[in-house]
C-alpha cells in the first residue's frame, strides 16, 4: 500500500492564497523578538508565510501584514533579504 504524503498548506500574507508550505518563504519571529527568514524550515517561533513573488512582498509591506502576523516591525534588512530570496527563485 502506498502512503500518501500530505503537504501542509499555508496562506500567503501578501495575496492570501493557500498553497503548499514548501512553495512559501517562512519569516519567523524568534523567541527573542528578532525576525529571520527561515530557509530550512527549522526555526522555532511564530511564523508568517509569503509566496516567492515580489508583488506579494510589496502587498504584505503595504498592509503591514508581517508586523500584524508576528507583532514585530519589519526591518529594512529583512525586506532586503526577502527581496533577494524572492528574486533568486
Ligand atoms: Zn502570495
Amino acid at each position: 500500500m502506498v502512503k500518501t504524503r500530505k503537504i501542509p498548506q499555508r496562506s500567503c500574507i501578501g495575496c492570501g492564497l493557500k498553497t503548499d508550505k514548501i512553495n512559501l518563504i517562512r519569516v519567523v519571529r524568534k523567541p527573542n523578538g528578532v525576525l529571520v527568514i527561515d530557509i530550512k524550515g527549522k526555526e522555532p517561533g511564530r511564523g508568517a508565510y509569503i509566496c516567492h513573488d515580489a508583488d506579494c512582498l510589496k502587498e504584505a509591506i503595504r498592509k503591514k501584514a508581517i508586523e500584524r502576523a508576528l507583532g514585530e516591525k519589519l526591518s529594512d534588512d529583512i525586506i532586503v533579504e526577502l527581496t533577494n530570496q524572492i528574486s533568486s527563485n
Side-chain angles (χ1 to χ4, degrees):
M1 212 159 82
V2 181
K3 268 193 184 169
T4 49
R5 248 173 230 257
K6 258 209 159 179
I7 301 164
Q9 302 258 301
R10 292 290 183 271
S11 298
C12 167
I13 53 166
C15 63
L17 221 70
K18 244 189 178 177
T19 184
D20 295 348
K21 200 179 158 188
I22 47 165
N23 294 329
L24 298 162
I25 298 170
R26 183 171 181 241
V27 183
V28 178
R29 178 182 179 273
K30 304 233 277 188
N32 60 5
V34 175
L35 297 186
V36 292
I37 296 168
D38 184 14
I39 293 161
K40 288 178 187 157
K42 299 254 195 278
E43 290 284 352
R46 190 139 54 116
Y49 295 84
I50 187 160
C51 303
H52 281 275
D53 192 319
D55 288 339
C56 291
L57 178 60
K58 247 186 264 173
E59 185 64 8
I61 293 167
R62 195 185 63 77
K63 291 194 294 193
K64 299 193 187 300
I66 296 173
E67 279 97 327
R68 271 193 285 142
L70 302 180
E72 284 293 328
K73 221 176 134 27
L74 209 57
S75 68
D76 292 342
D77 289 355
I78 282 283
I79 293 171
V80 168
E81 244 186 277
L82 275 170
T83 307
N84 291 338
Q85 193 65 31
I86 284 167
S87 54
S88 73
N89 271 272

